[in-house]
Amino acid sequence: MDGLKKSAAYLWRQRIGYGSADFACNLIWQMISLYLLFFYTDIMQLSATAISLMFVVTRVIDGVTDLLVGYAIDHTHTRWGQSRPYFLFGAIPFALFAVLAFTVPEISEEGRLIYAFVTYVGLSFMYTIVNIPLASVLPSLTGDAHERTNLSTSRKFFGFLGASIVSACSLWLVAYFGQGNEAAGYHDVMLLFGVIGCLIFFFTFASIREDVPVAAPQKVSLKETLRSLGQNRPWKIFAVNILFMWTGFFIQASALIYYFKYYVGSTAMAGVVASIMSIVPMLVNFLVPYLSKKLGKCRLFLASAAVQLLGLAVLWAGGVQETVIIIGAVIMAAGYGAKESIYFSIQADPVDYGEWKTGINTAGTLSSVNGFLGKCAQAAAGGLAGLLFAVSGYDGGAAMQSSAAITAIEAMYVYIPALLLVASMLTMRLYKLDEDYPRIKAELDERRAQAAAEAKLDVVMEKG
């Protein structure tokens, strides 16, 4: 009985420790998603065109750094494991760059643009350092598919909790700290979030253990690792979906404050809807393990995406009617919450498939490429937003916007996300790993057990 209690206590400590890291990530990530573009255009007073170019260039740099970080994780072997050390050593620099990115230096516009570029690149790199291990560590925390869903559910609960705090409180905190000075307000809010996030990463490091046995370090080149990914069909389908899913998310998130300020005519509604989009998913998240067992991971993803699309349609049909907007936002948030939660559980399974198919464990590299694709989606969203603003004549200093700018904002918040959501659903219909996964996992476990037994025998013979 004591063993069972210890086992339960261990599982819950690990679930909370693992999940809380996404709370830390989302304190910063949600601020970037909701307010960074607005901060650059309306507070730092930078050109939307220059910012869109900066987003694209930053993602090219990320393409190199993400791959290198993933490759480094695959070749990291310490007494703490492969992924855990990155939470410890990445926490403070991540918090520092988050504060710097939301700081307005008193220099020329050209200087501010250079400053924004340097700090944004630094923040993106440090986000890679602490976020890719959050995905790569999952396969080594447990080999049980259902427990992976539990861990992913915990991750998204805490992630949504962090996003909810940002959505509900950040603008109020900006006003409170800034006392009329928005630049100072954003700086102080990010300082607060950065310190909290840093401490939570330390807690995550102390709470999780990489318990799933792994083979001895493989002398595998980067070329061989990438070739292994090329043979991983489920991952390739999943990777295409990443581009559709996250581009839609980022462009809608970045347009939220513009949509409700200029199209609906209520900045307060931006905070309401942002809160709904964080709180409702956090509650729906508790149903995901049950729904995943009943429907399977991919079918749950598709059903959730359909609910999200329905909610977006209701919100759009509501126009400026706040009651209908709220109903649509609740439906959209419910679908989004279940979809994103199961998305992170699905992400771990192609790692096992790749090892089963090629004999190479690419957890770090696969997670880094997934992270890079997510950043490509963010760059595409930022670049498209900047282009639409430039073409439509958006003026960040104007109280009213032109009809062309309003149309561009509506496209960013409604039409483009809807099209990309449909593309995501069509892509994931091709994902068939759920049906074969139990057999693949059983064979892989047998191979790992045999390899571990052979390694132990070799040690005994060497000592003999």
Side-chain angles (χ1 to χ4, degrees), residues 18-35 94 98 102 127 130-131 134 154-167 170 190 193-194 196-197 200-201 246 249-250 277-278 336 340 344:
Y18 175 72
S20 62
D22 213 29
F23 179 93
C25 284
N26 271 277
L27 287 179
I28 310 303
W29 186 256
Q30 188 77 343
M31 286 293 293
I32 293 171
S33 299
L34 293 178
Y35 304 122
F94 178 53
F102 278 84
Y127 183 81
V130 296
N131 190 256
L134 195 54
S154 175
R155 172 181 177 177
K156 290 322 301 173
F157 169 78
F158 281 102
F160 288 134
L161 180 61
S164 297
I165 290 173
V166 172
S167 301
S170 55
M190 290 306 292
F193 289 166
I196 294 172
I200 289 174
F201 280 124
W246 289 112
F249 169 83
F250 285 123
M277 291 301 298
S278 299
Y336 162 72
E340 186 175 345
F344 284 104

Side-chain angles (χ1 to χ4, degrees), residues 396-409:
M400 300 288 292
Q401 299 296 334
S402 66
S403 59
I406 297 295
T407 299
I409 290 169

Side-chain angles (χ1 to χ4, degrees), residues 228 231-232 349-362:
S228 174
Q231 297 177 46
N232 194 328
D349 294 344
V351 174
D352 288 337
Y353 176 89
E355 185 177 352
W356 171 81
K357 179 81 172 178
T358 67
I360 300 174
N361 187 313
T362 58

Side-chain angles (χ1 to χ4, degrees), residues 75 88 92 189 291 447:
H75 290 76
L88 178 64
I92 293 176
V189 168
L291 293 174
R447 289 185 203 169

Side-chain angles (χ1 to χ4, degrees), residues 39 43-44 100-106 112 115 183 187:
F39 181 82
I43 297 175
M44 200 175 276
L100 293 175
F102 278 84
T103 299
V104 182
E106 295 184 5
R112 292 197 305 275
Y115 175 86
H187 172 274

Side-chain angles (χ1 to χ4, degrees), residues 7-286:
S7 178
Y10 174 82
L11 287 174
W12 278 105
R13 185 190 71 191
Q14 181 150 275
R15 289 170 188 170
I16 293 170
Y18 175 72
S20 62
D22 213 29
F23 179 93
C25 284
N26 271 277
L27 287 179
I28 310 303
W29 186 256
Q30 188 77 343
M31 286 293 293
I32 293 171
S33 299
L34 293 178
Y35 304 122
L36 186 61
L37 180 61
F38 177 79
F39 181 82
Y40 282 153
T41 59
D42 289 42
I43 297 175
M44 200 175 276
Q45 292 291 301
L46 298 175
S47 160
T49 304
I51 292 304
S52 65
L53 179 61
M54 183 187 78
F55 284 155
V56 172
V57 172
T58 301
R59 293 309 161 234
V60 172
I61 296 173
D62 278 341
V64 178
T65 59
D66 282 17
L67 190 58
L68 291 177
V69 169
Y71 187 70
I73 291 173
D74 285 337
H75 290 76
T76 297
H77 300 280
T78 73
R79 61 190 177 92
W80 297 318
Q82 288 186 297
S83 301
R84 275 182 70 213
Y86 291 85
F87 298 124
L88 178 64
F89 297 110
I92 293 176
F94 178 53
L96 177 62
F97 273 104
V99 175
L100 293 175
F102 278 84
T103 299
V104 182
E106 295 184 5
I107 52 180
S108 65
E109 182 177 349
E110 292 78 8
R112 292 197 305 275
L113 182 61
I114 295 171
Y115 175 86
F117 176 77
V118 171
T119 54
Y120 186 50
V121 168
L123 177 57
S124 296
F125 176 68
M126 293 317 306
Y127 183 81
T128 296
I129 292 290
V130 296
N131 190 256
I132 286 179
L134 195 54
S136 66
V137 78
L138 181 56
S140 63
L141 297 181
T142 177
D144 180 77
H146 184 62
E147 181 58 22
R148 285 181 180 177
T149 298
N150 288 333
L151 285 164
S152 295
T153 299
S154 175
R155 172 181 177 177
K156 290 322 301 173
F157 169 78
F158 281 102
F160 288 134
L161 180 61
S164 297
I165 290 173
V166 172
S167 301
C169 303
S170 55
L171 292 181
W172 178 83
L173 287 171
V174 167
Y176 175 79
F177 287 127
Q179 295 295 308
N181 185 336
E182 282 190 297
Y186 275 102
H187 172 274
D188 291 349
V189 168
M190 290 306 292
L191 178 60
L192 174 64
F193 289 166
V195 170
I196 294 172
C198 182
L199 295 175
I200 289 174
F201 280 124
F202 293 154
F203 169 70
T204 296
F205 172 80
S207 301
I208 65 174
R209 295 291 182 273
E210 298 186 34
D211 288 332
V212 176
V214 295
Q218 298 169 294
K219 294 183 178 179
V220 180
S221 68
L222 181 58
K223 183 178 180 180
E224 290 172 312
T225 301
L226 294 177
R227 186 183 298 121
S228 174
L229 290 184
Q231 297 177 46
N232 194 328
R233 186 174 186 274
W235 171 75
K236 287 190 285 187
I237 293 170
F238 186 78
V240 173
N241 170 68
I242 289 173
L243 295 172
F244 292 134
M245 175 179 166
W246 289 112
T247 301
F249 169 83
F250 285 123
I251 197 165
Q252 186 181 50
S254 65
L256 180 139
I257 191 168
Y258 299 101
Y259 182 80
F260 287 99
K261 180 178 180 179
Y262 296 115
Y263 179 79
V264 177
S266 172
T267 303
M269 277 300 293
V272 171
V273 172
S275 298
I276 289 171
M277 291 301 298
S278 299
I279 294 171
V280 172
M282 183 171 59
L283 300 176
V284 170
N285 194 52
F286 290 111

